[in-house]
Amino acid sequence: MGNDTGNARLFFALWPHAEVRAALAAWVHSHAPALPGVWVDPENLHITLVYLGSVSAETRHCVTMAATKLPFEPHRLRLDHIDYFVKPQVLYAGASVVPVPLMELVQRLRAVALSCGVQIEDRPFVPHTTLLRKVRTRPHDAMAFPALNWPVEGFALVESQSLPTGVRYRVRERWGTSR
Ligand code: 3AM
């Protein structure tokens, strides 16, 4: 678990408005009972932009300062389908189109991480909101998902905490116009 002086497990993310969170949670409630897997707590729903992992207070300060200087262009992301990642065994809501401002934001955040000495994965960015974990096999049938417009008005630095009740994500910093 993180604190003000020790290491914390951090990632940059898009953090949904209440309406988007409610729409995602509603989909999970109506479809998940028929699916094997563990529901993501509605309070934890998000889109990871860059995963930093466990970092020191000094590194946290570095990425926070650097992120504060980034340009940010508000835009809209359209989540439009349900898909499955084989390796982490998660079911997610995805976006067929990655808006240019979002791609630019991810590239800038990756540069922020590297400039602060954080090693990050060099995988293509696939915007997604994980809805269920521990889904052992790809669902056979395509699942309906009502397209959802996610107004991207800012981004956040989020801490992942392991509590006795499970993993809890907490927004530590916010940038953009969604303060
Ligand atoms: O945003 P999603 O749900 O895809 O699986 C973790 C979650 O992914 C992922 O970071 C997000 C917030 O915790 N994650 C956890 N450990 C990771 C790691 N070592 C990781 N991503 C990359 N490398």
Side-chain angles (χ1 to χ4, degrees):
M1 195 186 299
N3 55 49
D4 285 344
T5 52
N7 278 21
R9 212 158 56 237
L10 300 178
F11 56 100
F12 287 110
L14 300 182
W15 204 248
H17 283 300
E19 299 81 43
V20 170
R21 184 180 302 286
L24 291 166
W27 189 93
V28 171
H29 271 269
S30 59
H31 291 80
L35 297 166
V38 177
W39 304 13
V40 172
D41 183 330
E43 296 300 313
N44 277 352
L45 292 167
H46 69 280
I47 293 175
T48 300
L49 300 176
V50 175
Y51 184 79
L52 302 173
S54 180
V55 303
S56 67
E58 188 186 348
T59 301
R60 175 180 179 161
H61 181 71
C62 180
V63 297
T64 302
M65 290 298 109
T68 301
K69 294 179 193 145
L70 292 185
F72 172 76
E73 189 183 330
H75 56 279
R76 277 177 182 274
L77 178 68
R78 189 169 184 270
L79 296 182
D80 56 7
H81 65 282
I82 297 292
D83 209 340
Y84 177 71
F85 285 141
V86 175
K87 203 168 165 213
Q89 300 190 319
V90 300
L91 192 81
Y92 65 87
S96 303
V97 176
V98 186
V100 171
L102 183 58
M103 200 61 241
E104 288 174 346
L105 177 61
V106 168
Q107 282 161 354
R108 288 175 182 136
L109 290 173
R110 286 179 174 181
V112 161
L114 293 172
S115 74
C116 293
V118 180
Q119 296 296 320
I120 52 167
E121 289 181 351
D122 192 20
R123 279 189 296 196
F125 173 60
V126 179
H128 67 277
T129 299
T130 298
L131 301 173
L132 275 91
R133 299 190 185 281
K134 299 187 181 172
V135 180
R136 307 278 178 222
T137 54
R138 180 185 287 276
H140 293 298
D141 303 319
M143 263 169 289
F145 182 77
L148 182 57
N149 275 314
W150 181 318
V152 182
E153 292 164 349
F155 61 101
L157 182 66
V158 181
E159 180 173 353
S160 170
Q161 296 185 322
S162 298
L163 304 177
T165 48
V167 172
R168 185 64 191 231
Y169 300 142
R170 296 201 184 278
V171 173
R172 294 306 189 199
E173 308 282 346
R174 286 179 193 272
W175 295 272
T177 54
S178 63
R179 282 168 190 277

